């Protein structure tokens, strides 16, 4: 097994303030400067950006101001030796995206979504990344009769084609999630996303991002999703985290709920060579609401530490012995072998 080192990242939204639908923030807002300083200090290499993470209040700024601010951000990132891993249009906050973005029933709102996506591609160019992440937050329905799923797919393909035509180098990475905020999302799994890629004008430039919690919410095993995407050469980014069953999207620290699943995810990354083409391991995790400000980075540093400790476990796993048990169909022994390995001496 070829050994390589991994590069880590997170987004400014991962240092959130603790608000949920039932209560206000529990920590005072931190500045972007502080977040950037923490990133480098704690062994992370890159930051993820929604368009309005890069340029706050982006909808109320002129094109020239947006370009100026993005260039200034790029200069700062370069100065600190931090890469921008991706840009993602935040298409779920604005009044224009109440009924969805690319699949809204209102054509002017669909246009807003496309314009904002094309501008995000321009931001990605300035920030030096060729990856546009598309979490299709509101592309789905609350009630089945509100939209036509086949038409929605056509609208998604048309939107993606415009993005692909806008910039010949940009790669679109779809981040599937089966529900929340919608009852049902149109692209709930990696299989759906890759099938849709085939309908676009340049399928080579349409891939995926896997988030552990989203796969679990779809009733799938994140490690199998990783294997599936990587067999197509299409896993271009990754949001590792954890999720305790079928409930709201929890974004828990990586490995905190199911250590064995975390081990399996890393095993799959290792055997497929994730990261060898420069891909990052991102942690899309949030602090628990109870977290005190002085412990604000712990969910991220803990996720990174768990990843690295489990990576050692994966690399020390006796694959030959495991293979023998597979050949002998002794899965009971294989099961215990994994458990003993995780428990240690
Ligand atoms: C939503 C989610 C987003 C995306 C980025 O569940 O995971 O934070 O990762 O837009
Ligand atoms: Mn995510």
């Amino acid at each position: 097994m070829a050994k390589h080192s991994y590069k880590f990242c997170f987004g400014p939204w991962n240092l959130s303030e603790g608000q949920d639908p039932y209560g206000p923030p529990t920590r005072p807002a931190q500045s972007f400067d502080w977040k950037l300083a923490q990133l480098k200090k704690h062994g992370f290499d890159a930051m993820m950006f929604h368009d309005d993470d890069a340029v706050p209040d982006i909808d109320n700024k002129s094109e020239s101001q947006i370009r100026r601010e993005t260039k200034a951000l790029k200069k700062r990132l370069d100065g600190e030796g931090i890469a921008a891993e991706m840009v993602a249009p935040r298409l779920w906050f604005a009044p224009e995206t109440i009924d969805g973005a690319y699949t809204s029933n209102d054509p002017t709102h669909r246009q807003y979504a496309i314009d904002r996506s094309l501008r995000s591609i321009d931001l990605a160019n300035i920030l030096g990344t060729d990856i546009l992440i598309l979490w299709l937050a509101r592309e789905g329905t609350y009630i089945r009769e509100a939209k036509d799923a086949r038409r929605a797919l056509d609208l998604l393909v048309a939107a993606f084609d415009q993005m692909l035509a806008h910039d010949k180098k940009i790669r679109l990475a779809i981040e599937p999630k089966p529900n929340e905020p919608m009852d049902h999302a149109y692209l709930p799994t990696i299989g759906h996303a890759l099938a849709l890629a085939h309908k676009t004008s340049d399928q080579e430039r349409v891939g995926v991002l896997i988030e552990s919690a989203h796969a679990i919410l779809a009733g799938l095993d994140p490690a199998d999703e990783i294997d599936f995407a990587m067999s197509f050469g299409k896993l271009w980014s990754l949001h590792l985290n954890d999720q305790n069953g079928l409930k709201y999207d929890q974004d828990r620290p990586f490995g905190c709920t199911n250590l064995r699943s975390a081990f399996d995810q890393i095993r799959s990354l290792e055997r497929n060579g994730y990261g060898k083409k420069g891909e990052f391991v991102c942690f899309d995790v949030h602090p628990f609401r109870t977290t005190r400000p002085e412990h604000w980075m712990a969910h991220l540093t803990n996720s990174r530490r768990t990843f690295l400790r489990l990576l050692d476990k994966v690399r020390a796993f006796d694959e030959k012995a495991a293979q023998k048990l597979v050949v002998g169909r002794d899965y009971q022994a294989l099961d215990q072998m994994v458990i003993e390995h995780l428990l240690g001496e």
Side-chain angles (χ1 to χ4, degrees), residues 13 175 209 211 214 239 241 251 284:
W13 69 90
E175 179 179 352
L209 177 161
E211 174 163 325
H214 296 180
H239 285 181
N241 56 16
D251 295 325
D284 197 357

Side-chain angles (χ1 to χ4, degrees), residues 160-175:
F160 291 2
D161 282 349
Q162 285 200 53
M163 293 175 227
L164 293 167
H166 182 74
D167 181 323
K168 290 291 171 200
K169 291 215 177 75
I170 199 74
R171 291 184 295 155
L172 312 179
I174 301 166
E175 179 179 352

Side-chain angles (χ1 to χ4, degrees), residues 13 50 86 88 92 133 135 175 177 211 214 239 249 284:
W13 69 90
H50 292 110
M86 61 82 156
W92 51 94
I133 299 296
W135 171 47
E175 179 179 352
K177 179 176 175 182
E211 174 163 325
H214 296 180
H239 285 181
D249 184 8
D284 197 357

Side-chain angles (χ1 to χ4, degrees), residues 213 216-219 242-250 252 257:
I216 295 165
L217 285 171
D242 214 342
Q243 170 75 25
N244 193 11
L246 300 182
K247 47 185 91 168
Y248 63 94
D249 184 8
Q250 297 185 302
R252 292 159 77 82
T257 303

